[in-house]
Amino acid sequence: MIHLKNIFLIIMLVVVFSRCTEIYNPVINSNTEALIVEGLITNEARPFTIKLSKAVPFPFDSVSISRDVTGAKVTVTDKYTSTTTFSDVGRGNYILPASFKSKIGNSYKLHVETTDGNIYESGFETLLPPQNFDSIRGYYASQSYMDPDNNYKSTDGGDIRVDLFDSVPKTASPPLCRFNVNVTVQYTYEDATTDTTTWHWFYFGWKKFDINSNENITDERSVAPGTVIKNHSIGFVPFGMSSYGFEMPPLTYVNYYYLRFNQYTINMDSYNFYKGANSQLASSGKLFDPVTAQLYGNMKCINNPSKIVLGLFEVSSVTRAAFIVSTLRSVGKVVLYKRAYVDIPDIGGVSYKIWDKSYSTTPKDSAFIKIPFPSWWNH
Amino acid sequence: MPLNYLIICILVKKTLLSFLSLFFFLASQPAFFPISAKQKEVSTRDTTRLVSFSTLAPIIERNNHIKLYYEPEWFENKRFRESIAELPLEECLIIVKRLTELNCVALNPVSYVFTPVEVRNYSNKKDSKGKLIIGDENDFGNATKATLSGKIIDAKNGKPLFGARIDIDKINVTASTDRDGNYKFTIPVGEYDIRLNYGGFEENNKTIKVGGNGIVDFELAEKSILLKEVVVIDKAANLNLIRTQMSSIRLNAKTIKELPMFLGEKDIIKSVTLLPGVQSTGEFGTGFFVRGGSADQNLILVEDVPLFNSSHMFGLTSAVNPDGVNSVNFLKAGIPAKYGERASSVMDIRLASNPDTLSFKGGIGLLDSRLNLEVPLFNKKVTLLVGGRTSYSDWLLHLLPDASLKNSSADFYDLNALLTVRFNPQNSLILFGYFSDDKFAFSKSSPYHYDNTLASVRYSHVFNDKLYSSLLVGMSRYRNDLIDMDPVRPDDAYKINSSINYNNAKLNFTWQPNEKHAVDFGLNAIQYLLQPGKLTPVTTTSNINPLSTNPEKALEMSAYISDNITFTPKISGEFGLRLTNYAYLGPGSVFVFNQNAPHTSENIMDTLSYGNNQVIKWYTSLEPRLSMRYSIDNLSSLKFSYNRISQFINLITNTAVMSPTDVYKMSSPNVKPLVCNQFALGYFRNFSQNAVEASVEVYYKKLDNILEYRDGASIVVNNSLETDLLNASGYNYGIEFYVKKNTGRLTGWASYTYSRSMRHTTSSYALDQINGNNYYASPFDKPHNFVVMGNYHLTRRWWVSGTFSYNTGKPVTLPELKYNYDGREYVYYSDRNKYRLPDFHRLDIAITHDETLRLKQKWKGSWTFSILNVYAQKNPYSVFYKSTSQLESKFYQTFNMYQMFIIEKPIPTLTYNFTF
């Protein structure tokens, strides 16, 4: 005799999961205060700025609310005990005089005395020789994301990769780098509702995006042999305006993706800070997220260790490069064209200009006089 | 009395075979006759005198208005005290039966017939509380031990059941029947709850009161009705009062059937989390927390070998297939000396295999399909159980609120087998094997994988009725790995894997020298082989340099002895001692830290290397165990227990959910063993003739050498993991109220627990401190916990069930400040676990309809409609601070705190169960 027992036949199931995350506004009871130090000294010949501010209470205050710390005495001392004083230029900004010249191999310590009598100091941070990438390339790829309605979407784009440290002796310790990479989307679009037989409204503009959601640093590697890193990802450049969050009329044309690549060679203190920053930034709500990570920098309060000081006094060397990222979708290729590295405002553009119906590449004003694009447009 | 009528009456009795024998016997007896009127005459007399049965019988008949039928020669030379005729009929007949070794059967309310014993039941006398009395009550207190013997037969046809089992949990006695259905064992006199089991038959529970030697035959009936009973936790009526063990839960095959379902699946581990003192990790996650202990402090044994990862799909369902499980014994305190290894609890899971015929059991569920086979071989000398499950659960993952999971895939399967060989009643061998495998991939380029392998061989031998033994050799292996294979970076494709190999041997003896003692003693040896992490290239073109954390090796050797002593019927105690020697072995290297500085990588002064099998560090742990029971009266008892347990293996995790990258870490010179001391006190009281059980338990648990982690600790392939770990200690305490109704149309339980679980570090160095050494709530600190679980039979075929659970929100660390740095927003978190998630509460209900309850109906079906989260409560599983880049600014509100829900809407499920 055969017994077939407990066979479960599921004949109906209705399961509805949707929108399973919500903004959470916890009640926070805290009188905690913290000084924020944001400072960077590089190997470049430019005035260096230290920004001092105070953290704002969570969750209601906006970080845009100015909590600048002014009136502080800020100095930097190198390992040869040469001390330079920053100038308070207001709004929490302190600038080193132009006479200050950093030097590769030298070490610098930041000293801050605030008006409440507290003294903050970093350790000596060493300026390391700059590293440059060996090669850079882009791969045609796709990337997935969730929209606010938990719809799963994807976009194509350029996966930008670099090779590093080929010239570094294989017996040396691998350098530590972080990459600040942004893309300026240069676009034009027209308003078809104003279309006439000869002209219509024309717009052009640009917007800059950081293409890394986390701090991009070299891996804590076990790669071998030697120090070479192949195909390190420095970010993904989406092709298509919707991926950048623009609400554009249909007739929008992306002209150029201008990629600016900043490679900082950092010391161990900075590396640990950015690694810690990633631990915090990586908490994006995934089920296997690490537990919360506190982020401390290299500043300490000398006279009162219980005082909280956050941020980083970073001393690192930098190399910069810029490219136009272009795609050949039909063959699935991404091409990088090297361009001059120029500073571009974060966002800008020209609107309500007239573009003749011949679709010339240059807009014109109401008198049909050509309005040139910015000098860096497609440089 | 017409003989034919007698025959008909006999035939309708359950012990058909015996009565058929009786019929033929009576038919051959010409002297068989009813007692004559003449013999009924009596006169005033001395009722203490001894009389013949022919004198006694008319008095009994007259007093009770009945007729007795018997063969006079069976009563020759027998004398009875005449006064017994004045006793209630039942007691009177029992005495007659005991003195004559005859059986007496009621043909109808006024006709009784004495027969030779075929089904010998000297013990069908029950006291006023329904306990079966064995031996002469007058001799109670005179004897110290008693031998019970008899048969276990099939109630349907009277056939002896070969291999049927009698369990007496109180004194750990188990006996099996031989080919003729005979059993025999000697136990101390006293009161016991016994369980009778035979594959395919309903378990029969009885309470016996043993005063002397006795012959007792038992009947077992085939299982007939699916989901007939709704008793949630089944055991003998007052076992909760009379056993010394406290803080325990026992589930058997029948009660497992009644467990609540989760997404259409019965789940043993999730059900256990509904019991007082046990808390789940949430609506997703592996393991459970017992009285403030972490998940790795629970020893989950399957056939005596530990299961390291008890979940499939990271907690959506447990890795233990409920279809094959015969019993679960779960202990929270007063843990006997034979158990060690883990600090907080023991879950002892036993599989079943004692089928009468070839049988299949299977199912199709939301997550998986199952099939179990049980088959008797070689005239039931050998029985085999083989079971397995496999999943088709991708679709469910795609419904989870996680972008990565929506694009993921998951598969699992598990297999188990149990082969039982009964050489004879004294010797048996059990072979057990289990394998589970989970694959999980966020994308094709990053698959996770983990598996469990368990195996054991157990040989049991009965030396005599006082001494039993078992020898077990087992192994458990847990492996996990993940692959990162970025198609654009084949040069950096790598695989990280870790594993734990656990080999053990257990030798256990149970010795019952007399009626007052039940002694357990034995030896236990465990070998641990850990590979905490290994990084290897996954393709031939990968430039990854293999990196491996140092493997760990250790031995844990224990000797234990415990004695369950019955001092008086009111007082019993179990005294145990477990001595454990732990050796952390080479090869390996050990950091030597500057003792005057924090244990950070900067303060490593030296690294000592050790050769293979060289003892790096010894730890010795002496673990006293004590359980005491005092019966205040027949309805209530007071219990106390103390146990000390050292744990030498720790799960290191820094994720909210146990992830594939979590690693185990052995105790070493820099990682001291976790030590748990627990005191518990309980008051137990039953009501309404044991239909309602109630208890109040308080406990205090001290934990030393708890492993905590620094903020941002890295645990993957980290050869200096010890520098990321912190030493902490803590305490847990609580009070648990529990009331359970076992019988009637309404059954179920309600419990309320108030508990706290606190931790603190003790280092004098700020870097080695958490929250400045102040006490903080552990992740398992949920002070208020309330559960109501009930089943109500509307009719015999319709019944509803529901579970409501509430608990305080779990502790979390939340941001207190936020600030900008380099264009990104960061937060400064509060002290660890300073805040709490919102409270959790949820109601699940189900209604079941049995199509038929008829015994002879082969096909039996039932419908169950259930709703999970009836009133759509949004219980946050976790909160997180999400700071996204501008690139995604359209898609996420940046710089906000979010709460995530796993189940936020009602989930209805309709299930059809059937059997044939």
Side-chain angles (χ1 to χ4, degrees):
Chain A
M1 181 179 173
I2 294 176
H3 296 281
L4 193 56
K5 299 179 179 179
N6 296 334
I7 297 180
F8 297 95
L9 176 62
I10 309 303
I11 64 169
M12 190 187 83
L13 172 75
V14 181
V15 179
V16 181
F17 291 101
S18 66
R19 195 174 176 78
C20 290
T21 56
E22 285 182 357
I23 291 176
Y24 178 51
N25 292 316
V27 177
I28 301 294
N29 299 311
S30 172
N31 296 318
T32 308
E33 287 192 339
L35 175 71
I36 310 302
V37 176
E38 186 177 359
L40 173 64
I41 289 178
T42 72
N43 57 328
E44 293 179 314
R46 58 168 69 186
F48 300 112
T49 301
I50 299 293
K51 168 89 175 167
L52 299 181
S53 61
K54 283 192 173 179
V56 299
F58 187 88
F60 301 108
D61 285 2
S62 166
V63 288
S64 62
I65 296 174
S66 174
R67 295 225 175 178
D68 304 325
V69 175
T70 58
K73 180 185 175 187
V74 183
T75 61
V76 64
T77 304
D78 69 12
K79 67 179 180 182
Y80 304 109
T81 68
S82 171
T83 298
T84 309
T85 302
F86 286 74
S87 300
D88 184 350
V89 294
R91 304 190 67 178
N93 292 308
Y94 300 81
I95 296 181
L96 274 175
S99 58
F100 177 85
K101 303 293 182 191
S102 60
K103 185 179 176 184
I104 299 295
N106 203 347
S107 299
Y108 301 91
K109 179 168 77 173
L110 187 70
H111 177 94
V112 177
E113 293 181 33
T114 52
T115 54
D116 58 8
N118 288 312
I119 302 171
Y120 304 87
E121 273 189 3
S122 71
F124 277 105
E125 302 293 336
T126 304
L127 185 62
L128 299 172
Q131 300 291 329
N132 211 338
F133 62 87
D134 302 326
S135 62
I136 188 168
R137 70 197 69 85
Y139 295 93
Y140 187 76
S142 64
Q143 196 176 71
S144 302
Y145 59 89
M146 301 289 290
D147 71 6
D149 298 322
N150 272 357
N151 296 313
Y152 193 75
K153 293 187 172 178
S154 66
T155 180
D156 66 342
D159 186 2
I160 312 301
R161 306 279 177 150
V162 292
D163 293 342
L164 301 165
F165 310 144
D166 190 40
S167 59
V168 176
K170 299 194 184 320
T171 55
S173 297
L176 303 168
C177 290
R178 73 176 175 96
F179 304 92
N180 179 282
V181 187
N182 56 66
V183 62
T184 303
V185 181
Q186 302 170 17
Y187 59 91
T188 57
Y189 70 96
E190 53 190 293
D191 184 354
T193 62
T194 61
D195 195 7
T196 68
T197 54
T198 56
W199 63 272
H200 56 193
W201 296 119
F202 168 76
Y203 305 77
F204 76 87
W206 65 90
K207 190 172 181 183
K208 190 162 73 178
F209 301 89
D210 189 335
I211 62 170
N212 286 295
S213 53
N214 296 351
E215 296 290 351
N216 190 326
I217 55 177
T218 48
D219 299 335
E220 282 185 294
R221 294 163 308 126
S222 60
V223 293
T227 55
V228 173
I229 293 178
K230 296 284 188 185
N231 272 329
H232 176 84
S233 173
I234 61 166
F236 181 81
V237 179
F239 299 140
M241 296 304 290
S242 62
S243 303
Y244 292 91
F246 277 3
E247 293 293 343
M248 288 289 190
L251 299 175
T252 299
Y253 308 96
V254 174
N255 297 71
Y256 306 104
Y257 298 100
Y258 180 65
L259 184 81
R260 298 201 315 165
F261 174 80
N262 308 292
Q263 180 178 350
Y264 294 87
T265 303
I266 57 180
N267 56 37
M268 186 55 79
D269 282 348
S270 297
Y271 186 82
N272 287 334
F273 174 82
Y274 287 110
K275 191 172 71 168
N278 275 344
S279 295
Q280 197 172 100
L281 293 168
S283 178
S284 58
K286 291 188 174 65
L287 288 167
F288 301 125
D289 270 356
V291 290
T292 52
Q294 202 68 283
L295 177 60
Y296 290 107
N298 56 353
M299 299 292 294
K300 287 184 173 52
C301 185
I302 303 301
N303 59 316
N304 184 0
S306 66
K307 294 291 287 185
I308 302 167
V309 55
L310 305 170
L312 177 71
F313 170 57
E314 177 181 349
V315 177
S316 58
S317 54
V318 63
T319 58
R320 305 181 194 273
F323 304 89
I324 291 291
V325 182
S326 182
T327 178
L328 300 170
R329 274 198 173 95
S330 58
V331 294
K333 284 195 173 178
V334 171
V335 183
L336 300 181
Y337 299 99
K338 193 164 177 43
R339 292 289 185 267
Y341 187 99
V342 293
D343 289 329
I344 301 174
D346 287 349
I347 187 166
V350 177
S351 61
Y352 297 102
K353 298 301 176 187
I354 297 171
W355 196 6
D356 63 44
K357 197 60 180 171
S358 63
Y359 294 99
S360 64
T361 56
T362 306
K364 299 168 185 173
D365 63 15
S366 56
F368 290 90
I369 298 173
K370 289 182 179 178
I371 300 175
F373 285 103
S375 60
W376 42 263
W377 195 271
N378 191 25
H379 269 196
Chain B
M1 172 65 64
L3 204 54
N4 287 343
Y5 176 68
L6 182 64
I7 294 170
I8 293 168
C9 291
I10 290 172
L11 286 173
V12 300
K13 298 298 175 183
K14 278 175 26 175
T15 51
L16 181 61
L17 190 59
S18 301
F19 289 98
L20 284 173
S21 303
L22 171 67
F23 160 68
F24 290 113
F25 178 82
L26 293 177
S28 65
Q29 302 301 314
F32 185 71
F33 57 90
I35 301 165
S36 67
K38 184 180 178 181
Q39 288 171 302
K40 291 178 187 171
E41 292 176 2
V42 291
S43 59
T44 303
R45 61 199 177 276
D46 176 11
T47 57
T48 61
R49 65 188 175 115
L50 296 177
V51 297
S52 67
F53 191 72
S54 60
T55 304
L56 183 68
I59 305 172
I60 298 172
E61 288 181 315
R62 186 174 61 249
N63 289 351
N64 296 285
H65 307 288
I66 61 169
K67 286 188 181 300
L68 297 174
Y69 300 89
Y70 63 97
E71 172 58 45
E73 67 183 41
W74 298 339
F75 293 89
E76 284 179 3
N77 303 321
K78 302 284 185 187
R79 291 292 181 270
F80 305 87
R81 200 168 297 280
E82 191 178 354
S83 60
I84 66 172
E86 307 302 323
L87 294 172
L89 177 63
E90 188 181 3
E91 291 183 39
C92 172
L93 294 179
I94 285 172
I95 293 173
V96 173
K97 286 191 294 182
R98 191 161 58 237
L99 294 175
T100 58
E101 296 193 353
L102 294 173
N103 198 8
C104 184
V105 177
L107 304 179
N108 57 49
V110 296
S111 303
Y112 291 78
V113 60
F114 284 94
T115 68
V117 172
E118 285 298 329
V119 174
R120 302 156 302 169
N121 188 346
Y122 292 3
S123 309
N124 61 358
K125 178 182 178 183
K126 294 182 179 177
D127 67 7
S128 58
K129 293 164 190 167
K131 296 168 187 167
L132 190 65
I133 295 175
I134 298 171
D136 190 337
E137 272 188 294
N138 298 324
D139 294 335
F140 273 36
N142 297 329
T144 56
K145 61 182 179 180
T147 300
L148 269 63
S149 59
K151 283 178 180 288
I152 300 179
I153 59 173
D154 186 338
K156 186 177 176 183
N157 52 28
K159 284 184 179 176
L161 298 176
F162 172 41
R165 217 174 65 196
I166 301 178
D167 291 302
I168 306 180
D169 295 324
K170 182 180 177 182
I171 52 175
N172 293 327
V173 167
T174 297
S176 299
T177 56
D178 61 15
R179 188 184 306 277
D180 299 320
N182 293 313
Y183 73 89
K184 186 176 181 181
F185 57 83
T186 301
I187 57 174
V189 296
E191 194 173 307
Y192 302 99
D193 292 290
I194 62 173
R195 295 184 293 113
L196 304 163
N197 281 293
Y198 188 69
F201 283 62
E202 295 285 357
E203 182 177 284
N204 194 351
N205 298 308
K206 290 185 181 300
T207 302
I208 60 173
K209 197 171 177 182
V210 181
N213 297 342
I215 301 172
V216 188
D217 294 338
F218 295 106
E219 297 173 339
L220 290 175
E222 279 191 82
K223 292 177 182 175
S224 59
I225 300 170
L226 187 67
L227 301 177
K228 179 177 65 177
E229 296 178 83
V230 290
V231 178
V232 176
I233 294 174
D234 185 36
K235 59 191 179 195
N238 64 345
L239 187 61
N240 64 318
L241 299 179
I242 61 174
R243 68 188 301 191
T244 310
Q245 178 70 52
M246 66 182 300
S247 306
S248 68
I249 301 294
R250 190 180 187 92
L251 306 176
N252 60 28
K254 183 168 64 178
T255 54
I256 287 169
K257 283 182 186 173
E258 313 299 335
L259 295 177
M261 288 188 177
F262 181 79
L263 289 176
E265 299 277 341
K266 283 173 294 189
D267 193 304
I268 289 170
I269 290 176
K270 283 187 181 294
S271 299
V272 165
T273 63
L274 297 175
L275 298 168
V278 188
Q279 296 186 340
S280 71
T281 54
E283 290 171 329
F284 187 77
T286 300
F288 52 91
F289 311 130
V290 179
R291 290 184 171 175
S294 57
D296 67 335
Q297 293 174 21
N298 305 317
L299 178 64
I300 301 174
L301 294 171
V302 183
E303 289 293 331
D304 273 327
V305 283
L307 185 62
F308 282 92
N309 191 330
S310 62
S311 294
H312 283 306
M313 292 176 62
F314 311 110
L316 279 185
T317 184
S318 82
V320 181
N321 182 352
D323 284 345
V325 174
N326 183 47
S327 69
V328 179
N329 196 17
F330 180 62
L331 307 173
K332 297 181 290 184
I335 295 172
K338 67 179 180 181
Y339 296 114
E341 305 178 46
R342 304 296 178 94
S344 281
S345 77
V346 175
M347 181 183 280
D348 195 348
I349 299 171
R350 302 285 169 174
L351 304 186
S353 183
N354 202 359
D356 189 39
T357 60
L358 173 66
S359 65
F360 289 94
K361 185 186 291 183
I364 300 171
L366 289 176
L367 299 174
D368 59 78
S369 289
R370 312 179 298 279
L371 185 65
N372 274 268
L373 161 71
E374 290 186 67
V375 56
L377 302 166
F378 307 111
N379 200 21
K380 294 189 188 174
K381 279 195 168 184
V382 178
T383 54
L384 175 66
L385 176 149
V386 180
R389 287 191 293 181
T390 184
S391 70
Y392 38 84
S393 46
D394 284 6
W395 68 273
L396 194 63
L397 280 174
H398 297 168
L399 298 174
L400 290 175
D402 186 289
S404 301
L405 292 177
K406 285 180 184 294
N407 194 30
S408 62
S409 62
D411 295 294
F412 72 80
Y413 68 89
D414 59 48
L415 302 166
N416 58 70
L418 189 76
L419 181 72
T420 305
V421 183
R422 297 178 185 85
F423 301 108
N424 51 49
Q426 284 75 41
N427 296 284
S428 63
L429 186 73
I430 295 178
L431 306 174
F432 162 70
Y434 171 90
F435 182 75
S436 75
D437 187 276
D438 274 74
K439 291 186 176 67
F440 182 88
F442 286 123
S443 66
K444 289 182 179 178
S445 60
S446 59
Y448 293 83
H449 163 260
Y450 62 89
D451 64 53
N452 287 290
T453 306
L454 280 66
S456 70
V457 179
R458 186 169 70 235
Y459 173 71
S460 299
H461 177 68
V462 179
F463 292 95
N464 50 51
D465 56 4
K466 292 181 179 177
L467 185 62
Y468 322 99
S469 72
S470 68
L471 173 65
L472 176 132
V473 178
M475 62 81 66
S476 176
R477 183 185 67 188
Y478 173 63
R479 300 184 299 188
N480 65 53
D481 59 69
L482 67 89
I483 292 174
D484 191 337
M485 198 160 52
D486 185 342
V488 183
R489 291 181 72 186
D491 294 345
D492 286 353
Y494 64 87
K495 175 180 181 179
I496 294 176
N497 63 289
S498 65
S499 64
I500 173 168
N501 282 277
Y502 171 106
N503 303 306
N504 70 335
K506 289 182 180 178
L507 177 62
N508 181 73
F509 291 90
T510 300
W511 179 47
Q512 295 162 3
N514 54 49
E515 74 283 3
K516 290 185 181 299
H517 295 271
V519 181
D520 268 318
F521 59 97
L523 301 169
N524 191 1
I526 303 166
Q527 181 196 41
Y528 297 96
L529 299 169
L530 266 67
Q531 174 50 260
K534 193 174 180 182
L535 180 72
T536 51
V538 77
T539 63
T540 53
T541 58
S542 174
N543 285 331
I544 289 292
N545 195 21
L547 176 66
S548 178
T549 51
N550 297 325
E552 295 189 272
K553 187 191 294 185
L555 279 178
E556 184 180 337
M557 295 154 290
S558 305
Y560 63 88
I561 183 166
S562 66
D563 190 0
N564 194 332
I565 306 173
T566 304
F567 296 103
T568 69
K570 278 180 171 289
I571 302 175
S572 66
E574 181 164 351
F575 303 86
L577 197 61
R578 185 180 179 94
L579 175 67
T580 299
N581 269 306
Y582 170 85
Y584 185 64
L585 302 174
S589 55
V590 175
F591 296 137
V592 179
F593 288 96
N594 180 355
Q595 293 304 308
N596 299 313
H599 280 205
T600 58
S601 54
E602 295 81 10
N603 294 315
I604 296 173
M605 309 297 290
D606 196 4
T607 302
L608 303 178
S609 296
Y610 293 84
N612 190 25
N613 292 328
Q614 189 176 354
V615 177
I616 299 174
K617 180 72 178 176
W618 279 103
Y619 286 108
T620 299
S621 173
L622 190 61
E623 303 172 0
R625 313 287 174 88
L626 168 66
S627 293
M628 293 293 296
R629 185 262 308 172
Y630 172 70
S631 293
I632 299 169
D633 52 37
N634 289 333
L635 291 175
S636 60
S637 62
L638 201 60
K639 299 182 187 181
F640 169 80
S641 72
Y642 163 74
N643 63 239
R644 176 188 174 92
I645 300 178
S646 295
Q647 179 173 325
F648 302 94
I649 185 168
N650 302 278
L651 179 66
I652 311 297
T653 176
N654 69 344
T655 55
V657 175
M658 184 178 176
S659 84
T661 55
D662 293 343
V663 297
Y664 281 90
K665 176 86 183 76
M666 299 304 303
S667 294
S668 66
N670 294 313
V671 178
K672 293 179 181 173
L674 172 69
V675 179
C676 171
N677 287 278
Q678 182 179 195
F679 301 86
L681 179 66
Y683 173 71
F684 300 80
R685 182 174 176 83
N686 289 1
F687 301 91
S688 304
Q689 294 187 323
N690 299 316
V692 177
E693 297 175 9
S695 66
V696 181
E697 292 190 41
V698 294
Y699 68 89
Y700 177 83
K701 186 190 282 187
K702 179 81 168 64
L703 293 165
D704 292 304
N705 302 326
I706 303 167
L707 286 186
E708 283 284 5
Y709 52 86
R710 297 181 195 280
D711 285 332
S714 172
I715 63 171
V716 180
V717 198
N718 182 358
N719 254 329
S720 56
L721 179 62
E722 291 174 356
T723 64
D724 275 339
L725 302 177
L726 299 175
N727 187 284
S729 62
Y731 61 86
N732 311 322
Y733 64 86
I735 181 166
E736 300 167 356
F737 298 89
Y738 182 56
V739 59
K740 181 162 72 78
K741 186 170 182 296
N742 296 317
T743 59
R745 298 178 79 170
L746 175 65
T747 59
W749 76 84
S751 71
Y752 168 75
T753 303
Y754 175 78
S755 62
R756 296 305 308 269
S757 175
M758 307 299 287
R759 304 281 185 267
H760 81 144
T761 52
T762 54
S763 173
S764 56
Y765 303 105
L767 280 176
D768 285 353
Q769 296 174 355
I770 297 172
N771 297 359
N773 281 351
N774 294 316
Y775 275 102
Y776 60 94
S778 83
F780 328 113
D781 181 59
K782 300 177 184 176
H784 300 284
N785 183 276
F786 177 67
V787 174
V788 180
M789 192 276 167
N791 294 293
Y792 183 74
H793 273 248
L794 300 168
T795 66
R796 284 191 68 206
R797 290 161 58 178
W798 284 93
W799 53 285
V800 295
S801 62
T803 304
F804 174 78
S805 52
Y806 163 87
N807 59 251
T808 310
K810 66 181 176 184
V812 288
T813 307
L814 294 179
E816 290 188 329
L817 299 170
K818 57 183 178 180
Y819 61 97
N820 258 330
Y821 181 90
D822 193 28
R824 291 190 172 86
E825 187 172 302
Y826 295 94
V827 292
Y828 178 78
Y829 284 100
S830 67
D831 284 348
R832 190 172 292 186
N833 293 345
K834 180 178 176 181
Y835 298 94
R836 287 186 184 278
L837 288 180
D839 293 351
F840 174 98
H841 52 98
R842 199 179 80 190
L843 174 66
D844 307 329
I845 60 170
I847 184 164
T848 299
H849 172 62
D850 293 318
E851 289 179 340
T852 178
L853 300 177
R854 275 180 282 180
L855 185 64
K856 292 184 177 178
Q857 184 77 32
K858 285 189 174 179
W859 180 281
K860 294 185 175 68
S862 69
W863 294 87
T864 299
F865 176 72
S866 62
I867 302 176
L868 203 69
N869 195 15
V870 172
Y871 55 87
Q873 174 61 25
K874 293 181 176 180
N875 290 303
Y877 177 78
S878 64
V879 293
F880 51 91
Y881 181 75
K882 186 156 61 180
S883 173
T884 59
S885 72
Q886 297 172 45
L887 181 65
E888 296 170 315
S889 60
K890 175 187 176 186
F891 307 109
Y892 298 106
Q893 298 184 57
T894 57
F895 313 134
N896 261 314
M897 203 78 203
Y898 290 84
Q899 51 187 342
M900 181 170 68
F901 315 108
I902 299 294
I903 301 170
E904 67 160 347
K905 291 185 177 178
I907 302 177
T909 310
L910 186 63
T911 307
Y912 181 62
N913 309 316
F914 60 92
T915 177
F916 68 91

